């Protein structure tokens, strides 16, 4: 799964035109109409590029944030960091890649029941992008657990950040560090179970069942449609 899939230039132009309106009007029909008018794109072409209107633009904004994060990560000296710090740094960069008020409006949109699955999918894509950037090669059940755990960390970090009034969002940075530390404690507990013969025997059957779970087909490939940025 990639968050850097083919960019629709029409949709990106609509997104640029929509952003000044989002803070005031949210990701709704009024914003989409304003984006069409301000961009000079015909209504017919706009509807083809973003058939769900502002919802598609909100999703495009999220994906734009993922791309900005990946670009910032590429310029970061990750080699000087502990692995847990790299993950925390990626989450922080992702927050810095977007406008807080625009994200706040997006949270309101994707909290609606009929758009919640879309919001969950976008969170998963962000986590997937981070793990791929970290060089994750897991193709078993760990592929799922890593992304599910990081999705929870990222979602809670966004919520904390939206309400953070500390200088330079210092409290958000500390919150991210605490959440990552909590995840690392879970990983240490899993390692303890693996190293304990009695506990390993107890969990042998569940582990055997989990061992049959594999990552989705195509993960890690860039030679099939939809998996490589153009």
């Amino acid at each position: 799964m990639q968050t850097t899939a083919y960019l629709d230039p029409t949709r990106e132009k609509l997104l640029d035109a929509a952003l000044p309106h989002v803070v005031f009007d949210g990701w709704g029909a009024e914003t989409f109409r304003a984006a069409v008018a301000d961009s000079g794109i015909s209504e017919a072409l706009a509807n083809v590029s973003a058939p769900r209107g502002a919802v598609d633009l909100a999703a495009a904004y999220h994906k734009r944030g993922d791309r900005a994060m990946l670009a910032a990560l590429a310029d970061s000296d990750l080699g000087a960091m502990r692995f847990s710090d790299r993950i925390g740094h990626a989450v922080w960069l992702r927050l810095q890649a977007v406008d807080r008020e625009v994200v706040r409006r997006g949270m309101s949109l994707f909290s609606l029941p009929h758009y919640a699955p879309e919001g969950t999918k976008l969170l998963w894509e962000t986590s997937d992008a981070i793990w791929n950037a970290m060089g994750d090669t897991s193709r078993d059940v760990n592929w799922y657990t890593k992304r599910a755990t990081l999705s929870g960390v990222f979602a809670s970090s966004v919520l904390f950040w939206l309400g953070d009034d500390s200088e330079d969002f210092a409290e958000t940075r500390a919150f991210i560090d605490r959440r990552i530390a909590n995840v690392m404690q879970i990983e240490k507990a899993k390692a303890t179970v693996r190293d304990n013969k009695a506990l390993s025997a107890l969990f042998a059957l569940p582990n055997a069942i989990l061992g049959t779970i594999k990552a989705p087909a195509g993960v890690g490939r860039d030679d099939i449609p939809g998996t490589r940025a153009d």
Side-chain angles (χ1 to χ4, degrees):
M1 183 182 297
Q2 300 289 332
T3 60
T4 54
Y6 169 72
L7 294 181
D8 181 339
T10 301
R11 186 180 300 174
E12 292 299 304
K13 188 174 181 179
L14 285 168
L15 174 57
D16 290 334
L19 290 177
H21 300 277
V22 172
V23 174
F24 302 101
D25 301 320
W27 293 102
E30 187 174 347
T31 289
F32 187 71
R33 286 194 295 268
V36 173
D38 293 352
S39 66
I41 295 172
S42 69
E43 184 176 351
L45 182 57
N47 288 332
V48 169
S49 181
R52 296 181 300 170
V55 177
D56 283 328
L57 299 187
Y61 184 73
H62 185 97
K63 293 172 185 290
R64 179 182 288 185
D66 286 349
R67 293 193 300 274
M69 173 198 67
L70 292 175
L73 275 175
D75 291 334
S76 300
D77 184 12
L78 299 179
M81 303 179 189
R82 297 179 303 173
F83 188 78
S84 58
D85 292 336
R86 297 177 193 176
I87 297 292
H89 182 61
V91 173
W92 173 248
L93 289 178
R94 181 59 180 78
L95 295 180
Q96 296 304 292
V98 290
D99 180 274
R100 190 160 68 152
E101 292 307 312
V102 173
V103 171
R104 194 188 306 278
R105 292 292 194 162
M107 292 289 286
S108 298
L109 174 69
F110 291 120
S111 66
L112 297 174
H114 50 298
Y115 292 134
E118 176 85 7
T120 301
K121 176 177 177 290
L122 292 170
L123 283 175
W124 185 277
E125 288 183 355
T126 297
S127 299
D128 184 56
I130 292 174
W131 275 115
N132 288 340
M134 295 297 113
D136 178 48
T137 59
S138 60
R139 296 294 179 265
D140 54 11
V141 69
N142 287 310
W143 187 89
Y144 295 93
T145 58
K146 287 179 177 180
R147 285 151 181 80
T149 302
L150 185 54
S151 292
V153 170
F154 180 66
S156 61
S157 297
V158 171
L159 290 174
F160 190 94
W161 172 63
L162 290 176
D164 184 9
D165 294 325
S166 63
E167 185 175 357
D168 297 326
F169 302 110
E171 292 184 9
T172 296
R173 293 294 300 268
F175 178 84
I176 293 172
D177 290 342
R178 291 195 300 271
R179 289 305 313 274
I180 296 297
N182 291 341
V183 172
M184 296 309 295
Q185 289 175 356
I186 295 174
E187 292 302 315
K188 289 179 181 179
K190 289 166 60 178
T192 299
V193 171
R194 289 194 299 269
D195 294 340
N196 185 296
K197 292 183 178 179
L199 290 177
S200 294
L202 179 64
F203 287 99
L205 180 58
N207 286 337
I209 295 174
L210 291 175
T212 64
I213 300 176
K214 303 300 180 183
V219 167
R221 295 181 59 182
D222 63 0
D223 60 339
I224 55 179
T227 63
R228 180 174 57 189
D230 291 322

